Amino acid sequence: MKIAVDAMGGDNAPASVVEGILKTRDEFQDMEFILFGKLNQVKPLVKDSTRISFVQADEEIVMNDEPVKAIRRKKNSSLVLAAKAVKEGEADALFSCGNTGALLAAGLLLIGRIKGVQRPGLLSTLPVVSASQGGFNLLDSGANADNKPEYLYQFALMGKYYAQSVRGIENPRIGLLNNGTEPHKGSKLTQTAYQLISADKSLNFVGNVESRDLTNGVCDVAVADGFTGNAVLKAIEGTASSVMHLIKDSVKDANLFAKLGALMFKPSLMGIKERINPARYGGAVLLGVKAPVVKAHGSSDAQTVYYTMKQIKTIIDGDLLAKFEETFHQEKHEDQ
């Protein structure tokens, strides 16, 4: 499999991106990479170019660029050239740590939607308290601010197939994010979406779920509109970061005995830090487009890039896109 990489996207690019790619390349013999970027910055970071090729990109899309305008105007940017490589079949997936909106626009405008998918959604994987559960998926976590009930129903289907193919959950529990667990709760959007999702007996629908219960593992896939999903995503990420800062500050300000106790518990604390770190679960995946489009956080380090490459490999190995195409193409014909 061949991955098109926007080597210039992200706060620590290209160094952290290239380092993560090299680590992945060395571990997985069936992965190749095309690095798009300013080669005078990228090439010196690669001592061994085995299964790595390079494409010069004279332009760069930065974080404050307006997404659609940037895609249309900066046609020689690393992100646009990487997306075109996927569109033309030269690569199997697109990866970037850069401008999220621009990456979504590239996925929609250049790579394109799968037939029958009304709106692609952004799926994120977030931590839960139980180590054995391995997190939960949140979909949509920011691709669509305005939604229809049919979009949320399709997010439930896509989330199911992702959880099965990528996470290995045979019958994933699907929950609808709402302001209460009762079926009648919520807006007209969530009430109608509830009826659509519950009517599909192929889904293991557990009903409405509240945001306070997500990290306790109430479901494997939480379905939400993009506005709400993005707010929940950032709240969870912010809480995880704040908890670690509180622990660190408490230890720093404590007396000698407390510091000695903290030293004894340091391995356990480091384990907690790793478990609640969203980066270890990979990037956010734009589901519903014709190839995997995956976004890692702008501040990603090499280890996060490596985790995300493993995630992309699992998506491709699991043949997730073929399942989407079969399901939504069939669904479209049934509607007609």
Side-chain angles (χ1 to χ4, degrees):
M1 62 187 72
K2 189 173 289 187
I3 315 301
V5 178
D6 169 20
M8 307 308 296
D11 302 336
N12 303 314
S16 62
V17 175
V18 172
E19 185 181 347
I21 295 300
L22 293 175
K23 178 177 173 63
T24 310
R25 186 273 315 272
D26 292 343
E27 182 170 335
F28 299 103
Q29 301 302 310
D30 60 344
M31 296 188 77
E32 299 180 33
F33 302 91
I34 311 174
L35 303 185
F36 294 82
K38 297 176 180 177
L39 299 191
N40 63 333
Q41 297 181 38
V42 175
K43 271 195 168 184
L45 301 170
V46 181
K47 305 303 181 185
D48 175 8
S49 60
T50 301
R51 301 197 312 280
I52 293 178
S53 56
F54 305 89
V55 175
Q56 170 67 25
D58 297 321
E59 296 176 298
E60 181 182 344
I61 294 177
V62 297
M63 292 298 189
N64 60 358
D65 279 339
E66 198 283 319
V68 176
K69 287 182 180 178
I71 293 298
R72 290 174 174 167
R73 294 177 180 176
K74 294 186 174 182
K75 295 184 178 180
N76 289 315
S77 64
S78 52
L79 176 57
V80 170
L81 292 177
K84 286 182 176 178
V86 175
K87 178 184 178 181
E88 293 165 6
E90 298 171 5
D92 303 301
L94 171 61
F95 168 77
S96 177
C97 297
N99 185 312
T100 303
L103 182 66
L104 296 179
L108 288 169
L109 300 177
L110 299 178
I111 296 173
R113 283 183 293 147
I114 292 171
K115 281 186 179 181
V117 173
Q118 297 187 45
R119 286 291 188 279
L122 197 61
L123 177 143
S124 300
T125 304
L126 294 164
V128 295
V129 172
S130 172
S132 62
Q133 186 172 331
F136 74 95
N137 297 124
L138 177 63
L139 175 69
D140 177 20
S141 60
N144 304 277
D146 299 309
N147 291 257
K148 295 180 180 179
E150 293 78 12
Y151 302 171
L152 271 63
Y153 167 59
Q154 289 198 341
F155 295 158
L157 289 171
M158 289 191 282
K160 167 193 170 182
Y161 290 124
Y162 182 92
Q164 287 177 334
S165 298
V166 179
R167 299 180 56 207
I169 303 173
E170 184 176 347
N171 192 25
R173 298 164 298 152
I174 312 296
L176 179 63
L177 191 59
N178 213 327
N179 64 340
T181 58
E182 300 86 349
H184 63 273
K185 279 292 183 103
S187 63
K188 289 182 179 179
L189 170 67
T190 56
Q191 289 178 22
T192 306
Y194 185 102
Q195 298 302 320
L196 291 174
I197 298 170
S198 61
D200 189 336
K201 301 308 177 185
S202 72
L203 295 171
N204 181 15
F205 184 48
V206 297
N208 289 327
V209 295
E210 296 183 273
S211 57
R212 66 181 179 182
D213 297 321
L214 292 176
T215 54
N216 289 323
V218 68
C219 60
D220 300 303
V221 178
V223 174
D225 65 89
F227 182 88
T228 304
N230 188 259
V232 169
L233 168 71
K234 290 175 179 175
I236 291 175
E237 289 180 337
T239 300
S241 177
S242 297
V243 166
M244 294 313 301
H245 281 297
L246 282 170
I247 293 173
K248 184 177 180 180
D249 289 345
S250 296
V251 172
K252 185 173 65 175
D253 297 335
N255 59 35
L256 178 61
F257 291 106
K259 288 180 178 179
L260 289 172
L263 186 63
M264 294 175 62
F265 281 101
K266 185 176 181 180
S268 297
L269 293 174
M270 294 305 293
I272 293 172
K273 180 181 180 181
E274 181 66 8
R275 277 174 54 190
I276 66 174
N277 177 15
R280 74 183 293 267
Y281 297 96
V285 187
L286 183 62
L287 297 181
V289 291
K290 295 177 180 177
V293 174
V294 185
K295 166 71 169 67
H297 201 280
S299 60
S300 294
D301 57 13
Q303 189 69 6
T304 303
V305 174
Y306 164 74
Y307 282 135
T308 308
M309 288 300 117
K310 289 178 65 176
Q311 177 188 21
I312 292 173
K313 175 176 168 55
T314 308
I315 291 171
I316 295 174
D317 285 342
D319 211 14
L320 180 63
L321 275 296
K323 294 176 182 177
F324 284 175
E325 289 169 356
E326 180 182 356
T327 298
F328 294 110
H329 189 59
Q330 178 181 352
E331 184 181 278
K332 186 176 181 181
H333 280 298
E334 288 175 352
D335 291 341
Q336 291 173 347

